[in-house]
C-alpha cells in the first residue's frame, strides 16, 4: 500500500544527543482513499506498547504520509539468518497476542496480515511491535468479497499475504474471527523456532490446496519437534479448519500459559 522512508535529523548538527530518528510511510496514489483512511483511523486508536505508534499524519513529496518511530528491523530479517529458542519464541508470540487482544478490545478489529515482515523490533529482536494495520477489519466483517472457486483454483481473491492466510479467508460467507489472525501467528511461531520457510514453500507448491497442505505439514512437524505449550499452540492455531483453533486471543494466551 505504500513505501517506508527512514529519516534522521540532528539539531544542532553532529550532536548525537539531539538525533531524531523516524520512519515515514507514504501511500501509493493508486490506493483507494477508503483503504488509506481505514489504516490511519485504526492506527490512531491503537496506543499499546506492542503496537508501532502513529506519531503524526503529514505530507511528503505531495503524498499523504504517516510518521512513526524508526524501528531497527523486522522479524523476517532475523529469521532468515537464525532461529529462537522455544522459550524466547513463546515470549515474542505472547507479546503479539497482547497487541491483537488490545486491538480487538479497543477498536473491535482484527489485523489480518500477521507475518514476520509486519512484526518490527527495537533495540532487541525480542522487543516486538505489530505494524501495518492497512487491511484490518471490524469483527463483524465477512472474510472476503470473492470465493475460493473450484477446488483446484489458485487462491488470490482475498486481501493479505499468500501463505499466511487460512483457507477460510476465501469463503465469502465465513465471518472474520480471531481464528484468521491465530492461523497466521501459528505459522510465524513456527518460523521463529526453525527459521523462515513459508515463502519458500509457497514458491515451491503455489498458493493453492497443495501449498496449504505443505504448510500445515511443516507446522505440524515443528509442533511435534518442540512439544510443550508452544508446540500445542502451533498445532492448534495452524489447523486448516478454523473451528479447531483457539476461540479467542485470550484462549490462545491461556494455551501458552499452560504447563
Amino acid at each position: 500500500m505504500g513505501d517506508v522512508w527512514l529519516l534522521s535529523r540532528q539539531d544542532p548538527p553532529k550532536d548525537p544527543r539531539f538525533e531524531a530518528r523516524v520512519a515515514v510511510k507514504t501511500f501509493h496514489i493508486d490506493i483507494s482513499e477508503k483503504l488509506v483512511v481505514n489504516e490511519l483511523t485504526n492506527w490512531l486508536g491503537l496506543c499499546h506498547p506492542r503496537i508501532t505508534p502513529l506519531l503524526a499524519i503529514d505530507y511528503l513529496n505531495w503524498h499523504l504520509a504517516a510518521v512513526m518511530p524508526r524501528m531497527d528491523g523486522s522479524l523476517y530479517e532475523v529469521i532468515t539468518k537464525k532461529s529462537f529458542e522455544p522459550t524466547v519464541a513463546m515470549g515474542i508470540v505472547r507479546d503479539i497476542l497482547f497487541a491483537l487482544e488490545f486491538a480487538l478490545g479497543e477498536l473491535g478489529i482484527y489485523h489480518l496480515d500477521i507475518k514476520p515482515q509486519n512484526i518490527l523490533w527495537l533495540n532487541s529482536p525480542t522487543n516486538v511491535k505489530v505494524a501495518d494495520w492497512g487491511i484490518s477489519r471490524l469483527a463483524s466483517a465477512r472474510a472476503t468479497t470473492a470465493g475460493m472457486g473450484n477446488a483446484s483454483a489458485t487462491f488470490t481473491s482475498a486481501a493479505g499475504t499468500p501463505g499466511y492466510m487460512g483457507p477460510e479467508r476465501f469463503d465469502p460467507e465465513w465471518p472474520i474471527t480471531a481464528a484468521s489472525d491465530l492461523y497466521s501467528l501459528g505459522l510465524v511461531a513456527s518460523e521463529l523456532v526453525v527459521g523462515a520457510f513459508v515463502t519458500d514453500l509457497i514458491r515451491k507448491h503455489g498458493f493453492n490446496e497443495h501449498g496449504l497442505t505443505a504448510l500445515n505439514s511443516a507446522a505440524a512437524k515443528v509442533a511435534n519437534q518442540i512439544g510443550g505449550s508452544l508446540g500445542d499452540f502451533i498445532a492448534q492455531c495452524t489447523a486448516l479448519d478454523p473451528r479447531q483453533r483457539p476461540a479467542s486471543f485470550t484462549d490462545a494466551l491461556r494455551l501458552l500459559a499452560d504447563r
Side-chain angles (χ1 to χ4, degrees), residues 27-96:
F27 296 90
H28 295 160
I29 58 175
D30 58 341
I31 299 299
S32 74
E33 181 180 350
K34 184 177 180 180
L35 284 176
V36 175
V37 171
N38 177 72
E39 176 167 2
L40 294 179
T41 301
N42 289 339
W43 198 355
L44 279 170
L46 295 172
C47 182
H48 187 274
R50 293 304 170 192
I51 296 175
T52 306
L54 176 60
L55 301 179
I57 299 173
D58 209 328
Y59 285 89
L60 179 66
N61 296 331
W62 305 104
H63 290 276
L64 188 64
V67 183
M68 55 188 166
R70 182 172 174 176
M71 299 289 107
D72 289 324
S74 74
L75 282 185
Y76 180 74
E77 297 156 359
V78 177
I79 62 174
T80 56
K81 300 175 182 177
K82 71 170 191 176
S83 57
F84 294 90
E85 290 295 325
T87 53
V88 177
M90 188 160 65
I92 294 172
V93 171
R94 189 181 291 115
D95 284 342
I96 297 170

Side-chain angles (χ1 to χ4, degrees), residues 163-256:
Y164 292 95
M165 293 186 289
E168 74 279 0
R169 293 281 300 281
F170 304 89
D171 182 348
E173 298 304 316
W174 194 270
I176 295 295
T177 69
S180 295
D181 278 339
L182 288 174
Y183 177 85
S184 307
L185 186 53
L187 289 174
V188 170
S190 302
E191 292 188 297
L192 289 176
V193 176
V194 299
F197 66 81
V198 171
T199 300
D200 288 342
L201 283 181
I202 291 302
R203 285 174 180 164
K204 179 179 179 180
H205 297 283
F207 190 39
N208 48 39
E209 289 190 357
H210 295 296
L212 284 172
T213 300
L215 288 174
N216 184 258
S217 297
K221 183 178 179 180
V222 175
N224 291 331
Q225 173 186 327
I226 63 175
S229 297
L230 186 59
D232 290 344
F233 175 88
I234 292 171
Q236 292 189 34
C237 287
T238 56
L240 294 179
D241 185 345
R243 292 166 294 191
Q244 295 178 0
R245 301 173 204 154
S248 67
F249 299 132
T250 302
D251 286 348
L253 282 165
R254 290 196 188 103
L255 188 61
L256 289 176

Side-chain angles (χ1 to χ4, degrees), residues 4-5 39 61 75 97 101 111 122 154 158 204 208 214 253 257:
V4 177
W5 304 79
E39 176 167 2
N61 296 331
L75 282 185
L97 280 169
E101 186 179 49
H111 188 283
L122 181 65
T154 297
K204 179 179 179 180
N208 48 39
L253 282 165

